[in-house]
């Protein structure tokens, strides 16, 4: 036995710990096969380690593993002897190590904590801030999604984040919902493809699931919010989701199927009810569908903040003991406890549930086994501490370049004059450029803003270096020192910001880029969250003198964020008046460009007349730390924006849940039989108009303008012998225009006659290609079984017999090339 091991044994025995191992150099646990228990053997299978450890645990120690403590102060104090399941990452690797050592040294079995972080599009302070998922969805580039996920996981794991709360797999089919920017797309095929790429990026490409070991460059991916959270009555957070089971499976559960089948290790239950049953108390939804049907297996299910306690307020439980029992029986493994009030904590009441006979010891052991399996898979027993001397991988130049490319690939050209691009010519010397709008830049005296309400901010920062306990997650906007509202709105929600990350604004970037050859002026003009128009005169003055006008408008984290639902999705504040007045005072020769930095689809007043006033329009969403650079380069023609919309945009909020929004709709047979409405799509889809407005979309699904012209030809479809990819589709794409450019190829299917009403059509495959002018490329895609199949009335997923029509184009309304195949 080595001297180091002997010293470790002496040290552990001296402090009264009942096992024979200790943490040595670089945080690695020293294992001694002669004296250490099996659960400390790093070579043993995970299930054997779980079984061995659980045989040594008391009931209080087991129940403590089912707690995820996010409260500050002394909240972890009661768990010093028992250990605890999860807690929020405390901001730095050093703070994490100190907290880990403290908790392990005081618990009888030296049980490590799992550290979690919100990792939607960034994960840790001073790490790279990528565009929000809604922009990522508009890239139509699954490979890029995987690359972003890999970087987020690498940066997070390097400082000690074990579980990342990401991706959000909800399809926000109602744009009134404030959390729209957190999801990739309203479309199930697109969302499922991104789910696959994301989980493999976060966890590595083995897809092994919860009972396999992870390396130290990836974290466990915990997807949110299971399930159907994006469909909410009235577009309001936590409102019920009510629909038939086929719709649930074919639309809202489809990304979760992809996540589970590709090894997803964690999921967060969602706030709302599905068919009258809270998701936190639905054993069919979690245990049968996710764990069994979708192969999630022994992954960990966490509650959302205090949602187990909320079962009492749903009136499905009479007291805290019943709430805890219903959630545990429903498949929820660990209780996310947010806030200092003990009454909001639920699983610490499981001892009463057990004594009252509401749960069994097996129920508790099953949940504990899932949590412990996650810890073993993350090597927390083998390497509980982070190497703080390793070179930093945070926000490297390579990662910044990836963030820049992601922004460019998601920014979508929604409007431009035929044959004209870019909006600003960088070669024009002596011109005047007016940059106007509340999201264009900062106020003169504005350095730090934290008053935009109703949005999660930076999580897990240590406020008190003495106790090293993470604070309560903020329900207000993040305090980001040195950043103004325009920068915060560019970064988006759930941003883990650090002062080392540079975030510029569009006005500042354009000034730096062309300020020596052009005069660049800036004025905000108005506010987003109020009707304050005090800065309007300054905006009108520079607009009246300008040759090029760039209007950067949109929403804020207050007007579009968590618990920021709206019953009107017009541009908020005084922005529509600002655009109109700027147009009125501008020179007739001036080109007006709208850059929309937004979190949800937006409308633009009566008949969307504001859009008629602009020459160019870029939909830029919340584009991350490199967003202003990417947008500025696009405006100057220095880079190509290649986004396509991943959702349909309604003309008015009254269209929501109508013919155009969401895009994926069932055939309206009566409209066809009565010859009602407009047929504007080549597939025969109809839109029965309202008496006062069209029912067609403002922008259809898949829409976006390219910088060149493309021709699609020679569409081929054939069956394959692969069970998981039964169909191959190919098409030749030729760049017939005058510029090298990027195109997004979109394959759709129209189903045969079915025993139930089919959809107008469905997306089944896509690809993104770059072609030089005059060149051609054949695009071939294998269609997944899960993308061609549907769930029948018995909820069996299968390809129905009959003749299918395959369509291809560059959007959902231009797919004129067709071919047929019979299954």
């Amino acid at each position: 036995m080595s001297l180091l091991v002997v010293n470790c044994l002496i040290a552990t025995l001296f402090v009264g710990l009942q096992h024979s191992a200790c943490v040595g150099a670089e945080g690695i646990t020293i294992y001694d096969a002669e004296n250490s228990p099996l659960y400390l053997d790093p070579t043993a299978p995970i299930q054997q380690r779980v079984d061995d450890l659980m045989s040594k645990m008391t009931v209080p120690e087991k129940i403590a593993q089912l707690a995820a403590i996010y409260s500050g102060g002394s909240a972890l104090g009661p768990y010093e002897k028992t250990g605890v399941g999860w807690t929020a990452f405390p901001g730095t690797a050093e703070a994490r190590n100190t907290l880990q050592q403290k908790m392990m040294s005081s618990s009888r079995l030296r049980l490590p904590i799992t550290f979690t972080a919100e990792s939607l599009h960034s994960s840790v302070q001073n790490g790279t801030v990528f565009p929000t998922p809604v922009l990522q969805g508009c890239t139509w580039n699954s490979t890029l999604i995987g690359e972003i996920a890999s970087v987020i996981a690498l940066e997070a794991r390097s400082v000690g984040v074990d579980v990342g709360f990401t991706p959000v797999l909800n399809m926000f089919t109602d744009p009134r919902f404030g959390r729209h920017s957190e999801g990739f797309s309203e479309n199930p095929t697109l969302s499922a493809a991104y789910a696959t790429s994301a989980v493999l990026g976060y966890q590595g490409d083995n897809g092994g699931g919860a009972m396999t070991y992870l390396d130290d460059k990836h974290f466990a991916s915990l997807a949110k919010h299971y399930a159907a959270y994006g469909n909410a009555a009235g577009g309001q957070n936590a409102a019920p989701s009510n629909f038939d089971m086929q719709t649930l499976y074919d639309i809202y559960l489809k990304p979760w199927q992809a996540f589970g089948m590709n090894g997803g290790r964690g999921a967060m239950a969602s706030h709302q009810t599905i068919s009258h049953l809270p998701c936190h108390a639905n054993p069919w939804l979690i245990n049968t569908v996710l764990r069994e049907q979708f192969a999630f297996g022994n992954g960990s299910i966490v509650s959302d903040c205090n949602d187990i306690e909320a079962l009492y307020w749903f009136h499905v439980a009479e007291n805290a003991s019943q709430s805890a029992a219903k959630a545990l029986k429903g498949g929820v493994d660990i209780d996310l406890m947010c806030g200092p009030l003990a009454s909001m904590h639920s699983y610490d009441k499981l001892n009463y549930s057990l004594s009252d006979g509401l749960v069994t010891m097996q129920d508790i052991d099953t949940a504990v086994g899932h949590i412990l399996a996650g810890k073993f898979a993350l090597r927390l027993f083998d390497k509980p501490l982070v190497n703080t001397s390793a070179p930093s991988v945070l926000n490297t130049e390579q990662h910044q370049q990836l963030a820049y490319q992601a922004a460019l690939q998601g920014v979508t050209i929604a409007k431009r004059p035929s044959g004209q691009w870019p909006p600003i010519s960088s070669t024009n010397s002596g011109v005047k450029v007016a940059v106007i709008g509340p999201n264009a830049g900062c106020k003169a005296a504005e350095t730090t803003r934290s008053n935009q309400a109703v949005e999660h901010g930076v999580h897990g920062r240590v406020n008190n270096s003495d106790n090293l306990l993470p604070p309560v997650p903020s329900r207000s906007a993040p305090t980001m020192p040195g950043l103004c509202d325009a920068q915060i709105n560019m970064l988006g929600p759930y941003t883990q910001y650090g002062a080392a990350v540079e975030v510029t604004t569009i006005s500042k970037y354009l000034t730096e880029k062309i300020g020596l050859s052009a005069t660049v002026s800036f004025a905000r003009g108005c506010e987003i969250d109020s009707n304050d128009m005090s800065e309007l005169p300054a905006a009108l003055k520079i607009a009246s003198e300008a040759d090029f006008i760039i209007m950067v408008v949109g929403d804020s984290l207050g007007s579009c964020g968590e618990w920021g639902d709206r019953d009107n999705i017009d541009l908020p504040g005084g922005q529509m008046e600002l655009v109109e007045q700027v147009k009125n005072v501008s020179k007739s020769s001036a080109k007006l460009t709208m850059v929309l930095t937004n979190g949800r689809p937006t409308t633009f007043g009566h008949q969307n007349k504001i859009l008629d006033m602009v020459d160019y329009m870029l939909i830029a969403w919340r584009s991350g730390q490199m967003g202003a650079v990417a947008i500025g380069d696009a405006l100057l023609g220095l880079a190509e924006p290649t986004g396509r919309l991943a959702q349909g945009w309604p003309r008015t909020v009254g269209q929501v849940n109508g013919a155009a929004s969401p895009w994926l709709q069932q055939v309206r047979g009566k409209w066809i039989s009565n010859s009602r409405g407009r047929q504007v799509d080549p597939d025969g889809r109809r839109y029965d108009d309202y008496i006062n407005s069209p029912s067609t979309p403002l922008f259809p699904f898949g829409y976006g303008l390219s910088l060149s012209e493309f021709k699609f030809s020679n569409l081929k479809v054939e069956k394959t012998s692969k069970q998981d990819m039964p169909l191959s589709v190919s098409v030749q794409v030729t760049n017939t225009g005058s510029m090298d450019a990027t195109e997004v190829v979109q394959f759709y299917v129209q189903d045969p006659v079915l025993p139930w009403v089919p959809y107008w059509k469905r997306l089944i495959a896509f690809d993104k290609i770059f072609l030089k002018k005059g060149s051609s490329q054949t695009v071939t895609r294998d269609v997944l079984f899960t993308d061609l199949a549907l769930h029948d009335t018995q909820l069996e997923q299968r390809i129905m017999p009959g003749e299918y029509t395959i369509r291809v184009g560059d959007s959902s309304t231009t797919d004129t090339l067709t071919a047929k195949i019979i299954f």
Side-chain angles (χ1 to χ4, degrees):
M1 187 181 300
S2 71
L3 180 60
L4 178 59
V5 172
V6 171
N7 288 336
C8 287
L9 288 172
I10 293 173
T12 53
L13 289 172
F14 180 75
V15 296
L17 303 178
Q18 299 180 11
H19 66 77
S20 303
C22 70
V23 178
E26 297 186 1
I28 300 174
T29 298
I30 309 302
Y31 174 69
D32 172 30
E34 293 182 25
N35 300 287
S36 296
L38 175 62
Y39 75 84
L40 290 177
D41 181 358
T43 67
I46 289 175
Q47 188 62 61
Q48 290 183 20
R49 300 179 76 178
V50 169
D51 293 342
D52 182 62
L53 176 56
M54 288 183 61
S55 70
K56 297 172 173 56
M57 295 174 71
T58 65
V59 173
E61 286 171 336
K62 290 179 178 180
I63 291 176
Q65 287 298 305
L66 307 184
I69 304 298
Y70 269 50
S71 304
S74 59
L76 285 176
Y79 298 92
E80 288 186 2
K81 299 299 182 184
T82 60
V84 72
W86 298 355
T87 196
F89 177 70
T92 66
E94 292 79 7
R96 176 201 184 276
N97 282 353
T98 300
L99 182 56
Q100 185 75 286
Q101 287 175 315
K102 176 183 177 182
M103 293 298 289
M104 288 183 69
S105 64
S106 61
S107 66
R108 182 179 69 93
L109 295 172
R110 291 185 59 84
L111 302 175
I113 305 175
T114 300
F115 290 90
T116 68
E118 297 286 353
S119 306
L120 186 65
H121 59 117
S122 67
S123 192
V124 292
Q125 295 175 48
N126 296 321
T128 312
V129 182
F130 290 95
T132 53
V134 69
L135 182 144
Q136 294 182 37
C138 293
T139 66
W140 290 68
N141 188 337
S142 298
T143 300
L144 179 67
I145 302 301
E147 291 172 349
I148 291 171
S150 295
V151 169
I152 289 174
L154 174 67
E155 292 189 350
R157 198 73 192 279
S158 74
V159 295
V161 173
D162 305 308
V163 175
F165 287 1
T166 184
V168 168
L169 297 183
N170 304 120
M171 287 165 295
F172 295 100
T173 51
D174 190 325
R176 294 173 294 181
F177 205 147
R179 303 188 74 171
H180 198 281
S181 70
E182 296 177 36
F184 290 122
S185 171
E186 69 171 33
N187 184 267
T189 301
L190 205 54
S191 295
Y194 293 155
T196 298
S197 295
V199 69
L200 295 178
Y202 290 129
Q203 298 185 166
D205 60 6
N206 62 17
M211 303 307 286
T212 59
Y213 288 105
L214 277 170
D215 63 39
D216 60 4
K217 292 180 173 56
H218 298 89
F219 60 34
S221 172
L222 186 142
K224 304 192 305 183
H225 309 81
Y226 186 72
Y229 180 59
N231 176 290
Q236 291 185 288
N237 195 3
S241 299
N242 294 313
F243 31 65
D244 62 88
M245 287 294 103
Q246 286 174 278
T247 299
L248 176 64
Y249 269 93
D250 285 332
I251 297 181
Y252 296 99
L253 292 182
K254 186 169 181 175
W256 292 96
Q257 181 183 25
F259 180 75
M261 294 294 184
N262 285 281
R265 294 170 185 255
M268 178 181 286
S270 55
H271 294 312
Q272 91 290 359
T273 62
I274 295 177
S275 299
H276 308 284
L277 197 61
C279 293
H280 283 72
N282 192 331
W284 171 81
L285 186 68
I286 293 176
N287 295 330
T288 301
V289 178
L290 185 59
R291 292 196 188 278
E292 297 177 12
Q293 295 177 9
F294 294 169
F296 186 73
N298 292 309
S300 300
I301 305 291
V302 65
S303 74
D304 207 335
C305 274
N306 307 318
D307 274 1
I308 298 175
E309 181 261 348
L311 295 177
Y312 171 83
W313 300 103
F314 274 107
H315 290 204
V316 296
E318 294 181 356
N319 51 45
S321 175
Q322 280 193 10
S323 293
K326 281 183 174 288
L328 191 70
K329 290 280 192 182
V332 179
D333 297 314
I334 190 164
D335 179 15
L336 185 63
M337 304 176 184
C338 305
L341 297 178
S343 61
M344 302 177 79
H345 301 175
S346 298
Y347 274 5
D348 56 0
K349 315 298 191 302
L350 278 174
N351 55 329
Y352 299 111
S353 307
L354 184 63
S355 62
D356 291 343
L358 300 177
V359 299
T360 66
M361 200 62 232
Q362 182 58 54
D363 295 327
I364 293 174
D365 283 349
T366 297
V368 175
H370 295 157
I371 301 305
L372 293 178
K375 296 189 179 196
F376 284 118
L378 287 159
R379 297 288 189 184
L380 290 176
F381 286 85
D382 312 325
K383 191 177 180 180
L385 305 183
V386 177
N387 181 4
T388 56
S389 62
S392 175
V393 298
L394 302 182
N395 198 32
T396 65
E397 289 187 14
Q398 183 181 8
H399 296 173
Q400 292 175 38
Q401 181 62 24
L402 183 62
Y404 171 82
Q405 287 297 327
L408 267 181
Q409 291 201 36
V411 171
T412 301
I413 304 173
K415 184 177 182 181
R416 72 179 180 99
S418 178
Q420 296 185 38
W421 189 262
I424 308 172
S425 174
S426 57
T427 60
N428 286 359
S429 180
V431 300
K432 294 183 178 180
V433 179
V435 186
I436 298 171
N439 278 342
C442 304
K443 295 180 181 178
E446 189 181 31
T447 57
T448 300
R449 293 296 298 274
S450 60
N451 61 348
Q452 296 183 91
V454 286
E455 195 61 40
H456 268 295
V458 175
H459 289 245
R461 288 188 176 178
V462 175
N463 292 336
N464 185 334
S465 59
D466 294 329
N467 63 31
L468 294 163
L469 297 178
V472 180
S474 173
R475 286 283 179 181
S476 62
T479 299
M480 298 184 185
L483 297 190
C484 67
D485 285 350
Q487 293 166 306
I488 292 172
N489 295 339
M490 185 79 71
L491 293 180
Y494 284 98
T495 294
Q496 313 297 336
Y497 170 73
V501 177
E502 183 179 352
V503 184
T504 190
T505 63
I506 294 173
S507 62
K508 182 179 179 181
Y509 181 73
L510 288 176
T511 300
E512 293 172 348
K513 200 71 177 176
I514 62 173
L516 295 179
S517 60
T519 301
V520 180
S521 303
F522 160 64
R524 287 169 55 87
C526 70
E527 297 296 328
I528 295 176
D529 295 324
S530 74
N531 292 319
D532 181 359
M533 303 292 290
S534 60
E535 297 186 55
L536 179 62
L540 297 182
K541 182 177 185 303
I542 65 173
S544 66
E545 300 169 352
D547 301 298
F548 300 97
I549 302 171
I550 308 299
M551 301 207 65
V552 188
V553 294
D555 49 38
S556 66
L557 300 195
S559 59
C560 182
E562 189 167 356
W563 301 104
D565 313 319
R566 296 184 66 205
D567 65 357
N568 183 332
I569 57 174
D570 280 345
L571 273 178
Q575 294 179 102
M576 288 197 294
E577 180 182 350
L578 174 66
V579 175
E580 187 169 3
Q581 293 213 34
V582 164
K583 178 64 176 178
N584 289 340
V585 302
S586 65
K587 297 186 295 188
S588 59
S589 60
K591 295 297 184 183
L592 197 161
T593 300
M594 176 187 290
V595 176
L596 191 64
T597 55
N598 54 318
R600 58 157 62 89
T602 305
T603 53
F604 303 90
H606 180 63
Q607 296 182 344
N608 291 286
K609 66 177 183 178
I610 296 298
L611 292 188
D612 295 332
M613 302 177 186
V614 304
D615 299 292
Y616 299 87
M617 180 181 177
L618 291 180
I619 300 172
W621 303 102
R622 305 205 189 285
S623 47
Q625 73 179 70
M626 299 299 294
V629 178
I631 294 165
D633 285 351
L635 292 171
L636 296 170
L638 302 177
E640 179 192 13
T642 62
R644 302 292 187 270
L645 295 180
Q647 61 289 117
W649 283 35
R651 292 181 181 273
T652 71
V653 74
Q655 277 191 346
V656 174
N657 294 322
S661 178
W663 171 78
L664 187 59
Q665 300 264 347
Q666 290 177 300
V667 169
R668 306 290 204 268
K670 186 62 175 175
W671 293 356
I672 300 173
S673 67
N674 280 24
S675 299
R676 299 282 304 175
R678 309 173 184 221
Q679 183 178 326
V680 297
D681 295 0
D683 54 25
R685 180 170 180 157
R686 289 179 179 266
Y687 298 89
D688 189 19
D689 288 344
Y690 296 99
I691 61 172
N692 60 334
S693 68
S695 68
T696 52
L698 179 63
F699 300 121
F701 174 73
Y703 173 79
L705 301 178
S706 176
L707 297 186
S708 193
E709 303 295 327
F710 294 86
K711 178 184 177 181
F712 291 73
S713 61
N714 198 24
L715 173 62
K716 295 181 179 179
V717 298
E718 60 181 0
K719 292 189 239 183
T720 75
S721 59
K722 306 172 187 175
Q723 285 190 335
D724 59 337
M725 291 182 287
L727 179 68
S728 177
V729 294
S730 67
V731 67
Q732 182 172 297
V733 183
T734 303
N735 184 344
T736 60
S738 59
M739 295 180 66
D740 302 342
T742 300
E743 182 61 292
V744 175
V745 182
Q746 303 172 32
F747 294 95
Y748 295 89
V749 65
Q750 288 180 285
D751 295 305
V753 173
L754 299 176
W756 59 90
V757 178
Y759 298 102
W760 289 110
K761 66 184 173 193
R762 300 180 286 128
L763 179 72
I764 55 170
F766 60 92
D767 202 357
K768 191 170 194 174
I769 60 172
F770 175 80
L771 286 177
K772 291 186 175 297
K773 59 183 179 182
S775 65
S776 299
Q777 179 179 331
T778 297
V779 175
T780 301
R781 303 295 293 175
D782 288 332
V783 179
L784 295 175
F785 168 83
T786 51
D787 290 334
L788 188 60
L790 291 167
H791 285 84
D792 63 20
T793 55
Q794 302 303 309
L795 302 184
E796 179 184 350
Q797 191 174 28
R798 60 195 184 104
I799 297 174
M800 301 298 294
E803 184 178 70
Y804 289 77
T805 301
I806 309 300
R807 316 183 66 94
V808 67
D810 62 2
S811 82
S812 63
T813 60
T814 61
D815 53 335
T816 56
L817 193 61
T818 66
K820 296 183 183 295
I821 191 167
I822 296 175
F823 276 90

